[in-house]
Amino acid sequence: MKLSTTDLADIAGQPLGEVTSIDLRDRGITQVDGLSECVKLRKLDLSSNKIETRDALDGLHGAGSLVHVNLANNQLRIMSIVEDMSQINVLNLSNNQLSAISPSVAKCKELKALILGQNKISKIEYLDGLLNLNTLVVSQNEISKIPEMPLLKELTKISAAHNKISDIPDLTQYPKLKEIRLNDNRIAAVPESIRGCTGLKVVDLGNNKIDSWSSVAPLTSIPYLYNLNLKGNPVCEQANYREKVIEMIPSLRVLDGERFDQWFLDHKEKRQQRKAAVVAGKEHGQKGHDDMAAHGKPAKESRKRPMDSEQGQTKRSRTFDNSSRGGNSTRSHANRGSNRGRGIDRNNGERSAIREERAVGTATNSDRGGRGRGGGRGRGRGKSNDRSRGRGRSTGNGRE
């Protein structure tokens, strides 16, 4: 299938000049046009297609911004396709038909991860100038030797499993190396030089030819080694193999794919206990259900018992009667309160009237008393005055 520029634009769903990532995997593609228009393209996935030659991706010469290219599971025979990928960081060419590493790969100065597994490569070469390379995967090829590459100071992982390697090279030239996978090769012993690889954490030497304790002794000097695989080697048949390896390398947490540190084992036991408790709870609940069914008792499906229609009608009628009584009672209380309020008002009115009458009476008596006294005094004074006129002297109260 040839992917035209129009097809590419339809898949991208936007103008090709704005595309930064395209996923074209597993489409039966044999050729792609229009990639030269993807001036901003950074990630291209063409894995699991039928691409055979560099000409099928001729447009790549204009995609200078590419940093991640996946061409795994195709039918490429040469690596010249990388000539125009000067800015690339990750290149995956695994599971193709490559028989050699192309000199053009040396131009990829920014390359950090090179994945060439499952090909027919027999020699590792042209990588000395890749100073930023940190991951090299050449598993499942026909490589017989890992060369010294002293300039690759950034290497942290080397995977060369399933090859024809018989000797482990001097790995101390890679000061940042943390993982080395050389399983399924022809290695018979671990070299003394590995003692200087103090940063190593993962070493996979499974399915090789290591047959003695002395052959693995150098591994005991690696202070942070926590994952070691020796499974499939003759040394594994030694008595107390597992116990002895763990004793020799106290930093180990995983041996032959099995984790055994105490923290992990404790948590594993707790998980198993919780799982067993859940299973037991389900079995207990099922047993109770079966016992009730065996005795003719229905299983409890709900906390509330369902009511038949007659019970429901009776309950509704009772609720209606109660609500009616409640309503009558409420009205009765309201009437009583209202009458009581009226009685209080009448009583207050009568009391007010009585107070007013008393006040009027008091005022009347006061007026009368005042007049009497005043009259008396007046009369007294008058008499006194008359007498004083006649006799010449009188008192204030009319007494002589």
Side-chain angles (χ1 to χ4, degrees), residues 201-242:
K201 294 183 178 181
V202 179
V203 174
D204 189 347
L205 295 171
N207 296 317
N208 275 284
K209 298 182 177 181
I210 301 171
D211 59 1
S212 65
W213 294 117
S214 60
S215 298
V216 296
L219 295 173
T220 62
S221 298
I222 303 176
Y224 302 110
L225 181 61
Y226 76 89
N227 189 336
L228 173 63
N229 181 27
L230 294 173
K231 190 175 182 179
N233 282 278
V235 71
C236 297
E237 300 174 6
Q238 298 278 353
N240 301 317
Y241 154 76
R242 188 174 182 83

Side-chain angles (χ1 to χ4, degrees), residues 78-89:
I78 58 175
M79 284 183 63
S80 58
I81 195 171
V82 303
E83 289 180 358
D84 302 309
M85 301 180 185
S86 59
Q87 301 299 316
I88 195 166
N89 294 158

Side-chain angles (χ1 to χ4, degrees), residues 318-333:
R318 288 176 181 173
T319 304
F320 176 77
D321 292 342
N322 291 337
S323 63
S324 299
R325 292 172 186 172
N328 294 336
S329 176
T330 303
R331 288 193 294 272
S332 176
H333 284 295

Side-chain angles (χ1 to χ4, degrees), residues 2-108:
K2 181 179 178 180
L3 198 67
S4 67
T5 303
T6 303
D7 296 333
L8 188 61
D10 290 341
I11 293 172
Q14 59 180 316
L16 294 181
E18 300 298 323
V19 174
T20 59
S21 176
I22 301 179
D23 187 348
L24 300 173
R25 57 187 165 181
D26 198 16
R27 294 175 182 265
I29 297 171
T30 57
Q31 183 173 342
V32 182
D33 293 334
L35 288 175
S36 60
E37 297 182 24
C38 303
V39 294
K40 295 182 180 180
L41 187 62
R42 294 179 61 81
K43 183 176 181 179
L44 175 63
D45 190 344
L46 277 165
S47 59
S48 302
N49 282 291
K50 298 178 180 180
I51 298 170
E52 297 182 5
T53 65
R54 178 182 182 278
D55 295 336
L57 300 172
D58 188 54
L60 280 179
H61 70 271
S65 59
L66 274 173
V67 296
H68 189 134
V69 175
N70 187 353
L71 284 164
N73 304 308
N74 277 280
Q75 300 171 14
L76 290 166
R77 296 182 180 279
I78 58 175
M79 284 183 63
S80 58
I81 195 171
V82 303
E83 289 180 358
D84 302 309
M85 301 180 185
S86 59
Q87 301 299 316
I88 195 166
N89 294 158
V90 179
L91 177 60
N92 188 347
L93 292 170
S94 62
N95 197 18
N96 277 276
Q97 302 296 321
L98 302 175
S99 58
I101 297 177
S102 172
S104 59
V105 74
K107 298 179 181 180
C108 303

Side-chain angles (χ1 to χ4, degrees), residues 135-399:
T135 300
L136 175 61
V137 179
V138 289
S139 300
Q140 298 186 47
N141 278 282
E142 298 177 5
I143 298 169
S144 58
K145 181 180 180 181
I146 297 178
E148 293 188 359
M149 298 174 284
L151 298 179
L152 304 187
K153 302 299 183 182
E154 298 297 319
L155 265 181
T156 59
K157 176 180 178 178
I158 298 175
S159 180
H162 295 272
N163 277 287
K164 301 176 181 180
I165 300 170
S166 56
D167 296 311
I168 298 176
D170 182 3
L171 300 176
T172 57
Q173 58 191 314
Y174 313 118
K176 295 185 179 181
L177 191 64
K178 294 182 179 180
E179 182 175 344
I180 179 74
R181 295 189 180 273
L182 295 171
N183 55 288
D184 294 274
N185 276 285
R186 303 173 182 178
I187 298 169
V190 178
E192 287 291 322
S193 61
I194 206 170
R195 294 181 185 271
C197 299
T198 56
L200 269 177
K201 294 183 178 181
V202 179
V203 174
D204 189 347
L205 295 171
N207 296 317
N208 275 284
K209 298 182 177 181
I210 301 171
D211 59 1
S212 65
W213 294 117
S214 60
S215 298
V216 296
L219 295 173
T220 62
S221 298
I222 303 176
Y224 302 110
L225 181 61
Y226 76 89
N227 189 336
L228 173 63
N229 181 27
L230 294 173
K231 190 175 182 179
N233 282 278
V235 71
C236 297
E237 300 174 6
Q238 298 278 353
N240 301 317
Y241 154 76
R242 188 174 182 83
E243 291 77 8
K244 190 164 184 178
V245 172
I246 293 174
E247 181 182 357
M248 291 170 60
I249 311 173
S251 60
L252 280 183
R253 296 293 178 269
V254 182
L255 177 60
D256 298 343
E258 295 182 12
R259 188 169 177 177
F260 60 87
D261 59 283
Q262 195 59 44
W263 182 89
F264 173 78
L265 294 177
D266 290 343
H267 280 261
K268 182 179 179 181
E269 183 180 359
K270 289 179 181 179
R271 287 196 300 269
Q272 291 175 344
Q273 290 175 352
R274 286 195 295 267
K275 185 176 180 180
V278 171
V279 173
K282 289 181 179 179
E283 292 177 351
H284 179 74
Q286 184 62 36
K287 184 177 183 300
H289 185 279
D290 296 341
D291 290 345
M292 293 184 70
H295 289 82
K297 296 181 180 180
K300 293 183 179 180
E301 298 179 356
S302 174
R303 292 179 178 272
K304 296 182 179 180
R305 295 178 57 189
M307 296 185 296
D308 56 26
S309 59
E310 184 177 352
Q311 288 176 333
Q313 184 67 30
T314 303
K315 185 171 182 179
R316 284 194 294 273
S317 62
R318 288 176 181 173
T319 304
F320 176 77
D321 292 342
N322 291 337
S323 63
S324 299
R325 292 172 186 172
N328 294 336
S329 176
T330 303
R331 288 193 294 272
S332 176
H333 284 295
N335 292 335
R336 290 174 188 172
S338 177
N339 294 334
R340 190 179 295 112
R342 294 191 190 99
I344 291 172
D345 292 341
R346 286 195 295 270
N347 292 337
N348 289 337
E350 291 174 358
R351 292 170 184 167
S352 299
I354 291 170
R355 292 192 191 100
E356 290 176 1
E357 291 177 1
R358 288 178 180 174
V360 172
T362 303
T364 304
N365 293 334
S366 299
D367 291 341
R368 290 175 182 174
R371 285 196 298 271
R373 293 188 191 95
R377 290 189 184 102
R379 286 192 296 270
R381 291 189 184 99
K383 290 178 182 180
S384 300
N385 291 336
D386 291 341
R387 287 171 182 171
S388 61
R389 290 189 191 102
R391 295 179 182 179
R393 188 175 181 177
S394 68
T395 61
N397 58 5
R399 293 181 182 178

